[in-house]
Amino acid sequence: MPKGKMSQHQVAQWQVFLATLGNKLTNEQYKFICEIHADLFAHPYHEPCTCSPKRIKEWIAQITRIYETRLNT
């Protein structure tokens, strides 16, 4: 898959993720963010330290931008 492009399956998965997003991520949600970010941004799977939410919040915002772009095309 080309960098920065979401598949239909990923769009559906992200839609569910956004609908179920609360104040705290579950372990499953955390791993899902890491997997989809690695795919969309063409980097190896990596789990940022959970001691600070800054990186994972950035990743959520980056994935959401790609998601919204995909919806508007």
Side-chain angles (χ1 to χ4, degrees):
M1 169 175 292
K3 183 177 174 183
K5 302 275 186 180
M6 278 185 141
S7 68
Q8 278 298 109
H9 180 67
Q10 287 173 325
V11 168
Q13 287 180 306
W14 196 250
Q15 191 170 24
V16 169
F17 169 80
L18 291 176
T20 59
L21 184 60
N23 290 333
K24 189 170 182 173
L25 292 174
T26 66
N27 193 44
E28 183 179 304
Q29 288 172 320
Y30 179 78
K31 289 182 181 293
F32 170 65
I33 293 164
C34 296
E35 288 171 7
I36 197 168
H37 194 275
D39 184 52
L40 293 175
F41 290 90
H43 64 76
Y45 179 87
H46 170 72
E47 292 183 8
C49 180
T50 57
C51 61
S52 172
K54 183 179 178 183
R55 171 76 48 96
I56 206 74
K57 285 182 177 182
E58 288 173 353
W59 284 11
I60 292 169
Q62 290 170 348
I63 298 165
T64 300
R65 279 193 294 276
I66 292 172
Y67 168 77
E68 290 172 347
T69 300
R70 177 77 156 88
L71 290 181
N72 293 324
T73 57

